[in-house]
Amino acid sequence: MDIVTKYLCVFAVGGILCTIAQILIDKTKLTPARILVLYVVSGVLLTAIGVYDYVVKIGHFGATIPLLGFGYSLCKGVFKAVDEFGFRGIFTGGLADVASGIVTALLLALTAALVSKPKSKKQ
Protein backbone atom coordinates (compact mmCIF):
# COMPACT_ATOMS: atom_id res chain seq x y z
CA MET A 1 0.00 0.00 0.00
CA ASP A 2 1.56 3.28 -1.04
CA ILE A 3 1.61 6.32 1.23
CA VAL A 4 -1.17 8.23 -0.57
CA THR A 5 -3.55 5.28 -0.31
CA LYS A 6 -2.68 4.86 3.37
CA TYR A 7 -3.42 8.54 4.07
CA LEU A 8 -6.72 8.29 2.20
CA CYS A 9 -7.71 5.23 4.25
CA VAL A 10 -6.81 7.01 7.51
CA PHE A 11 -8.80 10.07 6.47
CA ALA A 12 -11.79 8.03 5.28
CA VAL A 13 -12.06 5.82 8.38
CA GLY A 14 -11.57 8.73 10.79
CA GLY A 15 -14.04 10.83 8.82
CA ILE A 16 -16.66 8.09 8.80
CA LEU A 17 -16.35 7.63 12.58
CA CYS A 18 -16.67 11.37 13.17
CA THR A 19 -19.59 11.63 10.74
CA ILE A 20 -21.46 8.91 12.60
CA ALA A 21 -20.91 10.77 15.87
CA GLN A 22 -22.12 14.03 14.33
CA ILE A 23 -25.25 12.33 12.97
CA LEU A 24 -25.92 10.92 16.45
CA ILE A 25 -25.57 14.43 17.92
CA ASP A 26 -27.82 16.03 15.29
CA LYS A 27 -30.52 13.38 14.84
CA THR A 28 -30.93 11.82 18.30
CA LYS A 29 -31.58 13.10 21.77
CA LEU A 30 -28.35 11.52 23.05
CA THR A 31 -26.11 13.91 24.93
CA PRO A 32 -22.49 14.25 23.82
CA ALA A 33 -21.38 12.51 27.02
CA ARG A 34 -23.54 9.48 26.23
CA ILE A 35 -22.21 9.38 22.69
CA LEU A 36 -18.65 9.42 24.06
CA VAL A 37 -19.45 6.50 26.37
CA LEU A 38 -21.20 4.70 23.50
CA TYR A 39 -18.10 5.07 21.33
CA VAL A 40 -15.69 3.79 24.01
CA VAL A 41 -17.92 0.83 24.89
CA SER A 42 -18.43 0.07 21.19
CA GLY A 43 -14.66 0.06 20.71
CA VAL A 44 -14.27 -2.44 23.54
CA LEU A 45 -17.08 -4.69 22.28
CA LEU A 46 -15.96 -4.60 18.64
CA THR A 47 -12.41 -5.42 19.71
CA ALA A 48 -13.58 -8.24 21.97
CA ILE A 49 -15.40 -9.95 19.10
CA GLY A 50 -12.50 -9.32 16.71
CA VAL A 51 -14.18 -6.90 14.30
CA TYR A 52 -12.30 -3.71 15.16
CA ASP A 53 -8.92 -5.27 14.34
CA TYR A 54 -9.94 -5.24 10.67
CA VAL A 55 -10.96 -1.59 10.90
CA VAL A 56 -7.57 -0.75 12.43
CA LYS A 57 -5.76 -2.64 9.66
CA ILE A 58 -7.55 -0.51 7.09
CA GLY A 59 -7.75 2.83 8.89
CA HIS A 60 -4.59 2.81 11.03
CA PHE A 61 -4.54 6.05 13.08
CA GLY A 62 -7.93 7.06 11.70
CA ALA A 63 -9.31 4.13 13.68
CA THR A 64 -7.09 4.27 16.78
CA ILE A 65 -7.19 8.00 17.61
CA PRO A 66 -10.98 8.55 18.04
CA LEU A 67 -12.81 7.27 21.10
CA LEU A 68 -13.46 3.90 19.51
CA GLY A 69 -9.68 3.58 19.46
CA PHE A 70 -9.55 4.30 23.19
CA GLY A 71 -11.90 1.37 23.80
CA TYR A 72 -9.78 -0.69 21.40
CA SER A 73 -6.62 0.13 23.38
CA LEU A 74 -8.32 -0.68 26.69
CA CYS A 75 -9.46 -4.05 25.42
CA LYS A 76 -6.10 -4.90 23.82
CA GLY A 77 -4.34 -3.99 27.08
CA VAL A 78 -6.62 -6.30 29.03
CA PHE A 79 -6.03 -9.16 26.59
CA LYS A 80 -2.26 -8.69 26.83
CA ALA A 81 -2.27 -8.44 30.64
CA VAL A 82 -4.50 -11.50 31.03
CA ASP A 83 -2.05 -13.50 28.92
CA GLU A 84 0.82 -12.26 31.10
CA PHE A 85 -0.68 -12.06 34.61
CA GLY A 86 -3.82 -14.19 34.45
CA PHE A 87 -7.00 -13.05 36.20
CA ARG A 88 -5.25 -10.06 37.80
CA GLY A 89 -4.63 -8.66 34.30
CA ILE A 90 -8.34 -7.91 33.93
CA PHE A 91 -7.98 -5.13 36.48
CA THR A 92 -4.59 -3.74 35.45
CA GLY A 93 -4.19 -4.25 31.72
CA GLY A 94 -6.53 -1.65 30.32
CA LEU A 95 -5.17 1.27 32.28
CA ALA A 96 -1.55 0.21 31.84
CA ASP A 97 -1.95 0.33 28.07
CA VAL A 98 -3.61 3.76 27.92
CA ALA A 99 -1.83 5.46 30.83
CA SER A 100 0.35 7.66 28.64
CA GLY A 101 -2.69 9.01 26.80
CA ILE A 102 -4.53 9.72 30.04
CA VAL A 103 -1.51 11.51 31.55
CA THR A 104 -1.07 13.59 28.39
CA ALA A 105 -4.74 14.62 28.44
CA LEU A 106 -4.51 15.59 32.12
CA LEU A 107 -1.33 17.63 31.61
CA LEU A 108 -2.79 19.45 28.61
CA ALA A 109 -5.99 20.19 30.54
CA LEU A 110 -3.95 21.53 33.46
CA THR A 111 -1.89 23.70 31.12
CA ALA A 112 -5.03 25.07 29.47
CA ALA A 113 -6.54 25.81 32.88
CA LEU A 114 -3.41 27.66 34.00
CA VAL A 115 -3.06 29.86 30.91
CA SER A 116 -6.72 30.66 30.25
CA LYS A 117 -8.82 33.22 32.04
CA PRO A 118 -11.86 31.65 33.73
CA LYS A 119 -15.28 33.08 32.93
CA SER A 120 -18.54 32.48 34.70
CA LYS A 121 -21.57 31.47 32.70
CA LYS A 122 -24.20 34.18 32.56
CA GLN A 123 -27.74 33.00 32.07
Short mmCIF file of all heavy atoms in Angstrom, two decimals, residues 50-59:
data_model
loop_
_atom_site.label_atom_id
_atom_site.label_comp_id
_atom_site.label_asym_id
_atom_site.label_seq_id
_atom_site.Cartn_x
_atom_site.Cartn_y
_atom_site.Cartn_z
N GLY A 50 -13.47 -9.21 17.80
CA GLY A 50 -12.50 -9.32 16.71
C GLY A 50 -12.80 -8.52 15.47
O GLY A 50 -12.07 -8.62 14.48
N VAL A 51 -13.81 -7.68 15.49
CA VAL A 51 -14.18 -6.90 14.30
C VAL A 51 -13.30 -5.67 14.14
O VAL A 51 -12.89 -5.33 13.04
CB VAL A 51 -15.68 -6.49 14.37
CG1 VAL A 51 -16.05 -5.55 13.26
CG2 VAL A 51 -16.55 -7.72 14.36
N TYR A 52 -13.00 -5.00 15.25
CA TYR A 52 -12.30 -3.71 15.16
C TYR A 52 -10.86 -3.86 14.69
O TYR A 52 -10.27 -2.92 14.17
CB TYR A 52 -12.38 -2.96 16.49
CG TYR A 52 -12.25 -1.47 16.30
CD1 TYR A 52 -13.25 -0.75 15.68
CD2 TYR A 52 -11.13 -0.79 16.73
CE1 TYR A 52 -13.14 0.61 15.49
CE2 TYR A 52 -11.00 0.57 16.54
CZ TYR A 52 -12.00 1.27 15.92
OH TYR A 52 -11.88 2.62 15.71
N ASP A 53 -10.28 -5.04 14.84
CA ASP A 53 -8.92 -5.27 14.34
C ASP A 53 -8.86 -5.05 12.83
O ASP A 53 -7.87 -4.51 12.31
CB ASP A 53 -8.44 -6.68 14.67
CG ASP A 53 -8.11 -6.85 16.14
OD1 ASP A 53 -7.65 -5.87 16.75
OD2 ASP A 53 -8.32 -7.96 16.67
N TYR A 54 -9.90 -5.45 12.12
CA TYR A 54 -9.94 -5.24 10.67
C TYR A 54 -10.05 -3.76 10.33
O TYR A 54 -9.44 -3.29 9.37
CB TYR A 54 -11.11 -6.02 10.04
CG TYR A 54 -10.98 -7.51 10.19
CD1 TYR A 54 -11.84 -8.22 11.00
CD2 TYR A 54 -9.96 -8.20 9.53
CE1 TYR A 54 -11.71 -9.59 11.15
CE2 TYR A 54 -9.82 -9.57 9.68
CZ TYR A 54 -10.70 -10.26 10.48
OH TYR A 54 -10.56 -11.61 10.63
N VAL A 55 -10.83 -3.03 11.12
CA VAL A 55 -10.96 -1.59 10.90
C VAL A 55 -9.62 -0.91 11.13
O VAL A 55 -9.22 -0.02 10.37
CB VAL A 55 -12.05 -0.99 11.83
CG1 VAL A 55 -12.13 0.52 11.66
CG2 VAL A 55 -13.40 -1.64 11.57
N VAL A 56 -8.88 -1.33 12.15
CA VAL A 56 -7.57 -0.75 12.43
C VAL A 56 -6.57 -1.09 11.32
O VAL A 56 -5.75 -0.24 10.95
CB VAL A 56 -7.05 -1.23 13.81
CG1 VAL A 56 -5.60 -0.84 14.03
CG2 VAL A 56 -7.92 -0.67 14.92
N LYS A 57 -6.65 -2.29 10.77
CA LYS A 57 -5.76 -2.64 9.66
C LYS A 57 -5.99 -1.76 8.45
O LYS A 57 -5.07 -1.42 7.73
CB LYS A 57 -5.95 -4.11 9.28
CG LYS A 57 -5.30 -5.07 10.23
CD LYS A 57 -5.50 -6.51 9.78
CE LYS A 57 -4.96 -7.45 10.83
NZ LYS A 57 -5.22 -8.85 10.50
N ILE A 58 -7.22 -1.37 8.22
CA ILE A 58 -7.55 -0.51 7.09
C ILE A 58 -7.28 0.96 7.41
O ILE A 58 -6.66 1.67 6.64
CB ILE A 58 -9.02 -0.69 6.66
CG1 ILE A 58 -9.25 -2.09 6.15
CG2 ILE A 58 -9.43 0.34 5.62
CD1 ILE A 58 -10.70 -2.47 5.99
N GLY A 59 -7.77 1.41 8.57
CA GLY A 59 -7.75 2.83 8.89
C GLY A 59 -6.59 3.32 9.72
O GLY A 59 -6.44 4.52 9.92
#
